[in-house]
């Protein structure tokens, strides 16, 4: 039995995946993905507890320890997975917060499940937190938890971080449950966003929707202050930088280039297979460059790695079919015997294999239509101590705010995509080094440790609002 903790992470998923060996024995392995990559090192240092769903329906587990973290499992039924996770989180909030690039689904049953599951997380966090503990709630699946938790445990210091963009007021307004959602977030002492623009959108929304005033980064409720601030997330620069210097990773990178037929340019895309990532747009642009004769099939190879993602959500199933059809069409029209210009892989890879791919790539193509940050762009930069390599980066990724020396591109503009991809392929080593050096300085300085420690020191600083004196948050009428 795990006791109460003074530091808790509350996230949709536990940071582990179950693996079943050939002999049938099951164990847990640290899972890939942005959030886990970012927070696991901090958790291990602080010996905290992590609350989350273990990843399979109806799984009731006793708390257990893994990689120096206490893990507390929150069970979900198959119906809750469908309505809360695939439904309200990924078919309603995900598209709504990403500029409505796909139409959001508004369904009452999904909302009800979202509320019930958020309540379960809040109760579990209340039960496992020591007096005065720090609780850090993660992401869009749990936006009601801060207020629910404050209601149960006003002694806690509660932080919330949103990993995806916070949309402009005009888009958020569509949500039938907009009031409840904003009130949920205002239960936190500190609400963190990737970019200052997201924080500003949130403050404006609070004023318009609830009539609460704000000044600078502070929102004034009747009995306390909620701070809002941007904390751009980052990667473990040191770990990646060390990894790509290992002889086995260096030789694997060389081997990858050989296996690809040793083309002059290796272009690379690495994404969860998600409609916000602009995968179709970049492949279309690459296909046009081939068809226009601006590049030849032997000259350049595009490697697209697409991690399987949310495969039970309709929109994602359709996307997979569309992308695979598109890859087949472009390859069919442009391949020569023995070489296919687009190499497509619908698989997950271990970290060192990804690092070797980053190292092998001359041009990293990151073209989301909207993205909170995009860690792939920063991982690529962290892997190029050789100062070789070009980053083509969408203006709509949060990372573009920091990585100004990338070949910035508007992914909605196919001509711009073609221009920037060509410019990246044709740039001189001197120009690439100049750009890469500045970007590396930025990512090395603002790494994931700094992200987490800045959020936590802001949450724990005395200047943050004192824990509420009353048992519940209150809002002025209006
Ligand atoms: P994601 O949308 O998942 O994250 P991203 O930031 O790019 O997007 O993170 C993906 C992570 O998964 C990267 O660390 C990458 O290395 C890893 N990955 C991708 N493909 C992989 C593969 N085939 N095999 C193994 N690993 C793979 C959300 C938001 C982002 C935000 C992050 C963190 O949408 O905007 O940057 O959270 O806050």
């Amino acid at each position: 039995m795990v006791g109460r903790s003074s530091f808790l992470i509350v996230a949709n998923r536990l940071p582990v995946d179950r693996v079943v060996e050939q002999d049938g024995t099951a164990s847990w392995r640290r899972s890939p993905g942005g959030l886990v990559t970012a927070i696991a090192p901090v958790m291990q240092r602080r010996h905290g507890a992590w609350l989350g769903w273990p990843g399979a329906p109806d799984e009731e587990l006793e708390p257990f320890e893994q990689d120096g973290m206490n893990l507390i499992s929150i069970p979900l039924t198959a119906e809750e997975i469908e309505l809360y996770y695939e439904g309200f989180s990924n078919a309603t909030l995900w598209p709504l917060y990403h500029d409505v690039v796909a139409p959001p689904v508004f369904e009452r049953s999904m909302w009800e499940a979202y509320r019930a599951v958020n309540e379960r997380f809040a109760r579990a966090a209340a039960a496992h937190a020591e007096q005065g503990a720090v609780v850090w709630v993660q992401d869009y699946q749990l936006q009601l938890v801060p207020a629910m938790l404050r209601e149960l445990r006003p002694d806690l210091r509660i932080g919330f971080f949103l990993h995806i963009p916070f949309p402009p007021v005009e888009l958020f307004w569509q949500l039938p449950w907009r009031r409840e959602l904003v009130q949920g977030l205002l239960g936190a002492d500190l609400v963190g966003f990737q970019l200052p623009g997201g924080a500003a959108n949130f403050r404006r929304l609070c004023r318009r929707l609830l009539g609460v005033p704000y000044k600078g980064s502070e929102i004034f409720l009747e009995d306390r202050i909620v701070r809002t601030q941007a904390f751009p997330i980052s990667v473990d620069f040191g770990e990646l930088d060390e990894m790509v210097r290992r002889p086995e990773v260096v030789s694997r990178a060389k081997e990858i280039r050989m296996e690809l037929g040793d083309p002059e340019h290796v272009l690379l895309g690495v994404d969860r297979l998600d409609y916000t990532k602009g995968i179709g747009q970049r492949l279309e642009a690459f296909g046009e460059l081939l068809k226009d004769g601006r590049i030849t099939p032997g000259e350049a190879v595009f490697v697209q790695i697409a991690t399987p993602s949310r495969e039970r959500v309709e929109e994602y199933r359709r996307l997979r079919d569309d992308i695979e059809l598109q890859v087949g069409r472009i390859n069919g029209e442009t391949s020569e015997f023995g070489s296919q210009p687009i190499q497509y892989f619908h698989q997950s890879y271990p970290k060192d294999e990804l690092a070797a791919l980053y190292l092998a790539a001359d041009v990293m193509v990151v073209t989301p239509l909207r993205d909170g940050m995009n860690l792939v762009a920063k991982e690529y930069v962290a892997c190029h101590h050789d100062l070789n390599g070009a980053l083509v980066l969408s203006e709509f990724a949060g990372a573009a705010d920091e990585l100004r020396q990338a070949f910035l591109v508007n992914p909605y503009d196919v001509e711009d995509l073609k221009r920037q991809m060509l410019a990246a392929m044709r740039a001189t080593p001197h120009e690439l080094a100049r750009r890469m050096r500045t970007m590396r300085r930025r990512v090395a300085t603002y790494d994931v440790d700094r992200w987490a420690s800045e959020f936590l020191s802001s949450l724990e600083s005395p200047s943050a609002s004192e824990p509420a004196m009353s048992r519940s948050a209150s809002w002025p009428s209006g």
Side-chain angles (χ1 to χ4, degrees):
M1 173 69 198
V2 176
R4 292 183 168 216
S5 295
S6 61
F7 178 68
L8 285 91
I9 295 288
V10 185
N12 173 58
R13 276 296 310 272
L14 283 176
V16 288
D17 292 319
R18 193 192 275 291
V19 280
V20 181
E21 308 297 339
Q22 276 179 344
D23 63 3
T25 52
S27 58
W28 296 94
R29 189 181 48 205
R30 203 145 112 212
S31 31
L35 178 61
V36 185
T37 316
I39 296 175
V42 193
M43 278 293 294
Q44 287 158 341
R45 269 202 309 277
R46 291 195 169 213
H47 304 291
W50 184 310
L51 283 76
W53 169 50
D58 296 310
E59 200 156 23
E60 303 262 2
L61 299 171
E62 286 301 312
F64 61 106
E65 217 189 297
Q66 173 86 20
D67 291 344
M69 303 183 272
N70 293 321
L71 304 182
I72 294 155
S73 143
I74 310 289
L76 294 181
T77 65
E79 192 187 20
E80 284 167 345
I81 295 167
E82 193 187 324
L83 296 174
Y84 144 79
Y85 177 67
E86 292 159 359
F88 201 76
S89 298
N90 289 323
T92 307
L93 294 174
W94 180 268
L96 182 70
Y97 282 31
H98 286 90
D99 285 359
V100 196
V101 296
V105 176
F106 298 120
E107 242 185 61
R108 280 165 291 185
S109 59
M110 292 179 177
W111 163 249
E112 289 306 332
Y114 184 82
R115 205 166 53 185
V117 170
N118 272 246
E119 177 95 40
R120 186 172 313 145
F121 272 86
R123 288 192 181 284
H128 285 92
E130 261 177 38
Q131 180 71 19
V134 170
V135 182
W136 190 0
V137 183
Q138 305 290 329
D139 227 359
Y140 62 102
Q141 302 93 348
L142 300 175
Q143 292 175 92
L144 302 179
V145 168
M148 290 171 165
L149 186 55
R150 179 171 296 281
E151 178 83 26
L152 294 162
R153 292 286 306 271
D155 59 296
L156 302 176
R157 176 76 71 171
I158 304 170
F160 179 92
F161 185 77
L162 184 71
H163 290 258
I164 66 175
F166 195 84
V169 174
E170 293 70 24
L171 292 183
F172 191 86
W173 213 252
Q174 292 180 12
L175 188 69
W177 307 279
R178 58 197 184 202
R179 244 185 117 83
E180 290 90 328
L181 223 102
V182 173
Q183 285 173 344
L185 288 171
L186 285 174
D189 296 294
L190 173 65
V191 186
F193 299 87
Q194 300 276 23
L195 302 182
N201 285 346
F202 179 67
R203 290 191 294 265
R204 274 196 290 270
L205 180 67
C206 288
R207 186 173 59 194
R208 241 182 90 190
L209 196 59
L210 304 173
V212 289
Y214 67 85
K215 186 156 185 268
S217 66
E218 297 183 329
I219 299 174
F220 299 95
L221 304 184
E222 270 180 1
D223 53 354
R224 58 194 185 86
I225 292 169
V226 178
R227 293 228 320 281
T228 56
Q229 211 176 313
F231 301 90
I233 200 166
S234 192
V235 296
D236 190 338
F237 183 92
E239 184 192 25
L240 288 165
D241 186 47
E242 183 272 323
M243 197 179 278
V244 287
R245 292 173 199 261
R246 286 186 208 155
E248 66 274 20
V249 175
V250 174
S251 62
R252 177 66 190 134
K254 288 198 183 111
E255 195 177 80
I256 290 170
R257 291 192 70 102
M258 293 287 289
E259 285 168 2
L260 293 170
D262 213 8
E264 207 175 312
H265 306 285
V266 174
L267 292 87
L268 175 67
V270 174
D271 315 76
R272 267 188 317 98
L273 188 49
D274 193 294
Y275 52 80
T276 60
K277 300 291 183 184
I279 300 170
Q281 281 78 356
R282 82 182 67 135
L283 295 180
E284 201 55 43
F286 182 70
E288 283 195 18
L289 286 174
L290 288 166
K291 279 181 252 169
D292 297 350
R294 314 275 296 272
I295 50 175
T296 56
E299 183 189 358
V301 170
F302 201 118
V303 179
Q304 177 62 54
I305 312 277
T307 321
S309 182
R310 305 174 191 169
E311 294 186 296
R312 284 156 42 115
V313 179
E314 174 60 27
E315 201 74 41
Y316 288 77
R317 274 201 295 259
R318 214 173 17 235
L319 174 75
R320 180 173 177 189
D321 288 347
D322 289 350
I323 296 291
E324 293 181 356
L325 209 66
Q326 188 187 15
V327 170
R329 179 174 52 76
I330 297 172
N331 274 340
E333 287 168 4
T334 57
S335 288
E336 291 173 347
F337 284 114
S339 78
Q340 291 208 325
I342 301 178
Q343 303 270 333
Y344 167 82
F345 304 88
H346 185 244
Q347 292 163 37
S348 270
Y349 291 94
K351 247 186 190 169
D352 52 353
E353 179 72 2
L354 265 192
L357 273 160
Y358 289 140
L359 191 58
D362 304 296
V363 182
M364 184 80 218
V365 190
V366 181
T367 56
L369 304 175
R370 179 60 76 190
D371 212 333
M373 176 55 58
N374 196 290
L375 295 178
V376 167
K378 291 186 173 180
E379 286 165 2
Y380 181 74
V381 167
C383 287
H384 277 271
H385 62 90
D386 57 7
L387 303 184
N388 236 325
L391 174 65
V392 173
L393 179 62
S394 164
E395 294 162 342
F396 295 88
D401 267 30
E402 294 170 82
L403 305 178
R404 305 302 302 166
Q405 295 72 27
F407 293 84
L408 293 174
V409 69
N410 173 3
Y412 292 95
D413 178 351
V414 68
E415 288 303 329
D416 196 28
L417 277 167
K418 288 162 70 178
R419 224 176 7 251
Q420 295 307 326
M421 278 157 66
L422 267 186
M425 282 187 266
R426 304 275 144 86
T428 63
H430 177 75
E431 185 187 352
L432 292 180
R434 182 182 58 77
R435 290 174 184 253
M436 188 57 86
R437 196 176 291 117
T438 314
M439 293 194 288
R440 281 176 65 78
R441 213 174 293 135
R442 173 77 201 185
V443 181
T445 314
Y446 290 89
D447 66 355
V448 68
D449 266 3
R450 181 135 175 200
W451 168 75
S453 60
E454 284 191 356
F455 184 94
L456 289 171
S457 61
S458 180
L459 176 61
E460 290 167 302
S461 77
S463 63
S465 68
E466 290 305 314
M469 302 305 289
S470 66
R471 286 202 64 78
S472 64
S474 54
W475 288 267
S477 50

